[in-house]
Amino acid sequence: MRKQAIGIFFILSVLCVAKEITIEFLESKPKGLARDFYIWRFLSDENTSLQDALKAYDLVHRKTPKLTALLEKKGMPHELPRELQCARLDFKSLLKEDLECVGYGLKLSQVPNLSLQDLKALKDKVAPNKSLSTKVEILSSKNILTQMLLSDAKTFAQIYNALTQKQREKLINQNIKPQRLKKLADENAPAFDKMLQGIILSDSLPRFKKSLLNAHITKASPYTLFLLGINELMAKNTKNALTYFKLAQNTSKDVLLHNKALFWRYYVSGDKKLLSKLAQSTNIDIYTIYANQKLRTAPQYTIITDFTPLSEKKPPFNIQDPFEWEILRSNLLQVNDAKALDELTQEFAFVDSLAHMAYIHNRATKYQNNYFLSPFAQNIKWKSIDQKALTYAIARQESNFLPALISTSYALGMMQIMPFNVAPFAKSLGVEDTKLEDMFNPIIALEFGRFYLGELEREFKNPLFVAYAYNGGPGFLRRTLAQKKLFIKKRKYEPWLSMELIPYEESRIYGLKVLANYIVYEELFGNNIALEQLLATTLIN
């Protein structure tokens, strides 16, 4: 094990974050998101020459429109991939290209409005491509929806996704026989599944959504089955809703969705046997927390808050260097033996590398435990237990407390602060000399994170709303709440119903997880929060 540990740490000793970003610096670093982040900064610098910008761009791991735009700003129009070149062509120009280019560039939403001459030319062009030809035939028919319903689920969804919202409202928002929708949904095509989920969560196609009632779909994905249950519940079809929730529970491999469906079976039926079953879950989520609070039973899940003993010395690597973390993570992922991983945790038994120790321990124990750490808490003067609990609830969800984490959108550090927020936050905090790299310092990250959370909390009050805003942005939450369609007082099944209807999937799930984290941390820090009472304060409309 000592040899293996030396191998894991050896390469790290040569790495450090440069004060000045140069081509030489970038070339010396391993491929990955960390280097992409520094390339983005290098390209953003107005003093970077076009020649150096081109060299840097060649080193990019994940090419994004953001990076391409910066290169073009330097004076080098970047050659677009062929599919994007074709997508920019107008219809007449597109027909002069080969079939592959037509496949890339054809906007199916244009087909219903083409002249007979253009339509014939298009049909001749796409005839060898059966899939594309079928879509063109459907969209050029007199009754587009009928032909879509007679096709397969994948084709239906592809056409739906290609249409404009106005076209969907005109062509798709109709009364449809539920049996036809059942036939398509039971094909369990991912694209059709995603389409159904979006329609159920939106009010834009009410007739189509109503047509899903009594369709008795059985073979869609577990989450689609769950949302079909929500759709039936909102139409007061309780029996159908319970059938869908049971189907979702029995078919889901995702423990959160399983518990969600089990919760809703109890919540609608009142059957306490279901609540008792939910209380036995070893997963920590708001549904198991609710069940244990309701029944006043001891949770069955395991929580780890710390490891002992931990050394006060510095770890053998720089926890604030994103390059070191990327290499370390890559090396650790090559160790798959549980015993070897367990032994390896001792190489990270330092106060400052608590999060890294938990990361390895989690893999060694095959993700059986729940880690509710509070690293560097002693370095912060917390205003309240609530503030401390919410900050760590967010940090756990954002980064699992890993200080040098960089996301694909270049969110930074333990609290995943976006680069554009660093300067304004620093100004408000009175530390205007703050650099982006300072977000890799866990103590500074916690300070910045709790500052932002304080701003959000002043506006949105409830920790659930704060979580939605932290993930999706305050503008997203303002627009969502301003519609006054969610968190409605005296509406049945609130606020649980609204929590399932948040329009952005990522924010919807994020909010549920952060809220569970928050409840657990409050208890760990000495406060017992009644979940039902906390959720009651979300009813604002």
Side-chain angles (χ1 to χ4, degrees), residues 4 21 72 153 175 197-198 252 284 315 351 381 412 485 513:
Q4 190 171 46
I21 306 170
E72 292 181 345
N175 296 322
Q197 293 170 19
S252 177
I284 297 180
V351 171
K381 292 182 179 179
L412 307 173
K485 295 179 180 179
K513 291 183 175 181

Side-chain angles (χ1 to χ4, degrees), residues 209-487:
K209 186 156 69 170
K210 188 176 180 181
S211 298
L212 290 167
L213 300 174
N214 296 305
H216 304 296
I217 294 162
T218 58
K219 296 177 183 177
S221 74
Y223 185 57
T224 298
L225 292 170
F226 172 78
L227 284 182
L228 286 164
I230 292 292
N231 191 44
E232 295 282 356
L233 194 64
M234 293 178 73
K236 300 182 180 180
N237 296 335
T238 304
K239 185 177 179 181
N240 287 351
L242 288 170
T243 299
Y244 276 125
F245 294 150
K246 188 174 183 179
L247 271 172
Q249 177 195 332
N250 291 340
T251 57
S252 177
K253 294 180 180 179
D254 176 67
V255 66
L256 177 61
L257 179 54
H258 175 277
N259 287 351
K260 182 198 298 281
L262 181 55
F263 165 82
W264 276 98
R265 287 181 65 196
Y266 157 74
Y267 203 56
V268 174
S269 70
D271 185 347
K272 286 197 173 180
K273 290 180 181 178
L274 297 172
L275 190 64
S276 296
K277 185 176 181 181
L278 181 58
Q280 294 301 307
S281 174
T282 58
N283 192 62
I284 297 180
D285 52 57
I286 62 167
Y287 309 108
T288 54
I289 290 172
Y290 172 89
N292 282 292
Q293 287 192 357
K294 197 79 172 173
L295 297 172
R296 298 183 180 179
T297 52
Q300 298 300 301
Y301 41 73
T302 302
I303 291 177
I304 294 177
T305 60
D306 207 349
F307 294 93
T308 53
L310 295 175
S311 172
E312 297 282 346
K313 294 180 180 179
K314 290 295 181 185
F317 67 100
N318 183 359
I319 67 166
Q320 298 182 35
D321 190 324
F323 295 108
E324 290 200 16
W325 166 240
E326 281 196 352
I327 292 175
L328 181 57
R329 180 177 178 274
S330 177
N331 290 343
L332 288 170
L333 288 175
Q334 295 176 37
V335 184
N336 296 310
D337 180 70
K339 184 179 178 182
L341 284 166
D342 188 49
E343 292 176 5
L344 193 58
T345 58
Q346 296 310 308
E347 304 293 334
F348 294 81
F350 300 86
V351 171
D352 286 359
S353 58
L354 174 62
H356 306 81
M357 192 175 185
Y359 174 85
I360 302 167
H361 195 260
N362 209 5
R363 290 191 61 223
T365 55
K366 300 187 184 300
Y367 305 95
Q368 296 292 316
N369 301 313
N370 302 283
Y371 301 86
F372 281 79
L373 313 176
S374 49
F376 308 100
Q378 71 280 4
N379 300 100
I380 306 292
K381 292 182 179 179
W382 302 100
K383 293 180 179 178
S384 65
I385 287 178
D386 291 343
Q387 183 194 64
K388 185 178 178 182
L390 184 56
T391 302
Y392 278 110
I394 293 286
R396 183 178 191 268
Q397 203 56 43
E398 287 289 344
S399 66
N400 276 320
F401 317 107
L402 294 163
L405 206 63
I406 297 178
S407 76
T408 54
S409 59
Y410 309 144
L412 307 173
M414 187 186 291
M415 298 300 292
Q416 291 289 275
I417 305 293
M418 291 300 295
F420 59 78
N421 276 331
V422 171
F425 289 179
K427 185 176 181 180
S428 296
L429 287 165
V431 285
E432 296 183 48
D433 58 343
T434 302
K435 304 181 295 296
L436 294 185
E437 282 87 358
D438 289 329
M439 295 305 101
F440 303 134
N441 180 320
I443 298 169
I444 295 176
L446 286 169
E447 290 285 12
F448 274 57
R450 73 169 182 165
F451 164 77
Y452 186 35
L453 288 169
E455 295 286 295
L456 295 176
E457 202 167 14
R458 274 188 282 277
E459 179 175 359
F460 298 113
K461 315 302 181 189
N462 192 281
L464 177 63
F465 290 167
V466 171
Y468 289 146
Y470 198 95
N471 178 261
F476 149 71
L477 186 57
R478 287 186 201 112
R479 291 189 298 273
T480 299
L481 296 179
Q483 294 175 13
K484 297 189 176 182
K485 295 179 180 179
L486 298 177
F487 300 100

Side-chain angles (χ1 to χ4, degrees), residues 90-227:
D90 60 50
F91 181 77
K92 296 291 186 183
S93 302
L94 191 63
L95 284 185
K96 297 175 183 177
E97 301 292 332
D98 58 27
L99 181 57
E100 181 184 52
C101 190
V102 174
Y104 286 140
L106 180 63
K107 295 177 180 62
L108 289 171
S109 59
Q110 295 179 334
V111 173
N113 301 318
L114 291 177
S115 66
L116 291 176
Q117 182 180 357
D118 285 343
L119 189 59
K120 183 180 183 307
L122 177 61
K123 287 183 176 181
D124 291 342
K125 190 76 174 184
V126 302
N129 185 326
K130 186 178 179 181
S131 174
L132 186 55
S133 179
T134 297
K135 296 184 189 74
V136 171
E137 286 292 342
I138 290 173
L139 286 167
S140 61
S141 63
K142 289 184 178 179
N143 195 324
I144 293 174
L145 180 59
T146 298
Q147 295 305 311
M148 287 175 69
L149 290 166
L150 292 173
S151 68
D152 58 86
K154 183 179 178 181
T155 299
F156 189 108
Q158 287 175 337
I159 292 175
Y160 173 88
N161 291 331
L163 296 174
T164 65
Q165 185 56 35
K166 285 187 176 181
Q167 286 176 318
R168 291 173 187 172
E169 292 169 3
K170 178 181 178 181
L171 300 173
I172 309 297
N173 189 35
Q174 300 182 37
N175 296 322
I176 304 167
K177 290 182 179 179
Q179 297 90 332
R180 288 191 173 184
L181 293 177
K182 172 180 170 57
K183 176 180 174 296
L184 291 170
D186 281 345
E187 291 179 29
N188 197 12
F192 194 82
D193 248 23
K194 202 71 178 174
M195 181 199 78
L196 287 183
Q197 293 170 19
I199 290 172
I200 293 170
L201 290 167
S202 168
D203 294 324
S204 61
L205 303 178
R207 290 182 181 176
F208 186 101
K209 186 156 69 170
K210 188 176 180 181
S211 298
L212 290 167
L213 300 174
N214 296 305
H216 304 296
I217 294 162
T218 58
K219 296 177 183 177
S221 74
Y223 185 57
T224 298
L225 292 170
F226 172 78
L227 284 182

Side-chain angles (χ1 to χ4, degrees), residues 79-91:
E79 185 176 345
L80 294 172
R82 188 155 194 257
E83 56 265 33
L84 294 182
Q85 292 180 18
C86 296
R88 292 188 173 188
L89 297 175
D90 60 50
F91 181 77

